[in-house]
Amino acid sequence: MDAPVPQPRAADLLAWYDRHRRVLPWRALPGERADPYRVWVSEIMLQQTTIAAVKPYFERFMARFPTVEALASAPSEKVMQAWAGLGYYSRARNLHACAKAVASEHGGRFPDREDGLRTLPGIGAYTAGAVAAIAFDRPAVAVDGNVERVITRLFAIEDEMPGAKPLIRERVLALLSHDRPGDFAQALMDLGATICTPRSPACGLCPWREPCRARIAGTQESFPRKAARKTGKTRYGAAFVAMREDGAVLVRTRPAKGLLGGMVEVPGGEWRADYALGDALRDAPVSARWRRLMLPVRHVFTHFPLELTVFAGRVPLETQAPDGMRFTPFNRLKEEAFPNVFLKALEAGLEELQQP
Ligand code: SF4
């Protein structure tokens, strides 16, 4: 008969965390109190993005907006600009709205419980749990992708994602430490990020190797179970980089709502799966001798991949910007909140214009 599998214990995870915790710019050192503002900004930035990518953005963001009041009173273009490159721009808009709500309705202090936090813009179940646990040491549950992986492996949860989420929450709630809930939440995230990795988890170093059912069965990498992924069809479109004789480039701000809302783009037409590239010049914002770049700019959004064909052209000094567009002087382009996809199109177009 097989030996019974022991139950995982929070104490084993915390002992591991005390030795191996990561030092992160937003994380309090042992014995220090966490700053709710820094914890909240980091959690919003870290959604869908890696720690390595977030660190420089976080440092710059804190230098510009050191307090929730500073963020609340900043103009929205400055906030979008500080966010440009991180993607998921609706988060930046919600971040700003949330800072305003904290400053004006809560006297500059974040609510210290999940239910209070959830009343704020852009704070969903995950962020409320993470901020309540990490910043206020509340016994709250914050389940991100790392935690999902650890827990589904630990208990060999066969349900497919996302259907398994309630069960994962339940397991975390039953496991968490009521003495050190903030450290427990961070320890679980660290374990998922550094030991229980998607490929080749380092089970030999794991504080839960004894009770881990997936390790015992040798099936670690098959968790979490996932249904086959449906990705959207590739969409196609055009992007026009029009440079005036004085170096200014034609740009426009996208509508506030929708994909990349409020961000800045070089003009182009609609993106469609059946976009007819032969007719692309109909979408040109101004007339010019357009040069079509051989290599398209590719980008993958959450729901569809995009392929943008870039056209570059020089226009005379007297060219008027069409309605809703503007010429931005060359040396101020870096202040515009271009998301990555348009930054790539702009750079490709400018490079083409350097050619004779
Ligand atoms: S034993 Fe391995 S699979 Fe199980 S939780 Fe630890 S690292 Fe993950």
Side-chain angles (χ1 to χ4, degrees), residues 142-152 168 172 185 188-189 192:
V143 179
D144 66 358
N146 285 326
V147 175
E148 282 170 3
R149 194 164 57 251
V150 173
I151 299 298
T152 53
I168 295 170
V172 176
L188 204 48
M189 292 171 188

Side-chain angles (χ1 to χ4, degrees), residues 220-242:
Q220 299 92 314
E221 291 193 19
S222 68
F223 293 97
R225 303 280 202 228
K226 284 183 184 147
R229 201 169 161 209
K230 290 193 201 114
T231 45
K233 270 190 179 175
T234 302
R235 294 185 202 174
Y236 301 86
F240 293 87
V241 178

Side-chain angles (χ1 to χ4, degrees), residues 196-341:
C196 194
T197 48
R199 302 268 157 269
S200 312
C203 301
L205 303 174
C206 178
W208 281 338
R209 61 188 171 277
E210 298 289 328
C212 179
R213 290 174 181 272
R215 186 200 59 81
I216 294 166
T219 53
Q220 299 92 314
E221 291 193 19
S222 68
F223 293 97
R225 303 280 202 228
K226 284 183 184 147
R229 201 169 161 209
K230 290 193 201 114
T231 45
K233 270 190 179 175
T234 302
R235 294 185 202 174
Y236 301 86
F240 293 87
V241 178
M243 184 186 256
R244 221 168 46 183
E245 274 166 27
D246 60 353
V249 174
L250 189 64
V251 303
R252 73 177 159 203
T253 300
R254 293 173 64 88
K257 290 226 156 36
L259 187 67
L260 305 175
M263 303 303 292
V264 175
E265 65 180 1
V266 287
E270 210 188 324
W271 303 338
R272 296 203 316 259
D274 59 353
Y275 187 81
L277 204 49
D279 298 336
L281 289 182
R282 286 190 200 155
D283 290 326
V286 288
S287 68
R289 282 185 46 209
W290 294 107
R291 298 192 214 165
R292 175 179 158 184
L293 273 65
M294 293 307 295
L295 285 181
V297 163
R298 295 195 171 88
H299 190 81
V300 180
F301 290 102
T302 327
H303 302 301
F304 64 93
L306 173 71
E307 220 175 276
L308 277 185
T309 298
V310 181
F311 293 83
R314 290 187 182 274
V315 296
L317 194 57
E318 61 276 13
T319 307
Q320 296 290 319
D323 272 358
M325 302 188 196
R326 61 189 179 275
F327 278 101
T328 297
F330 188 80
N331 61 1
R332 306 206 63 169
L333 282 173
K334 58 181 179 307
E335 294 169 23
E336 296 282 15
F338 287 111
N340 281 336
V341 59

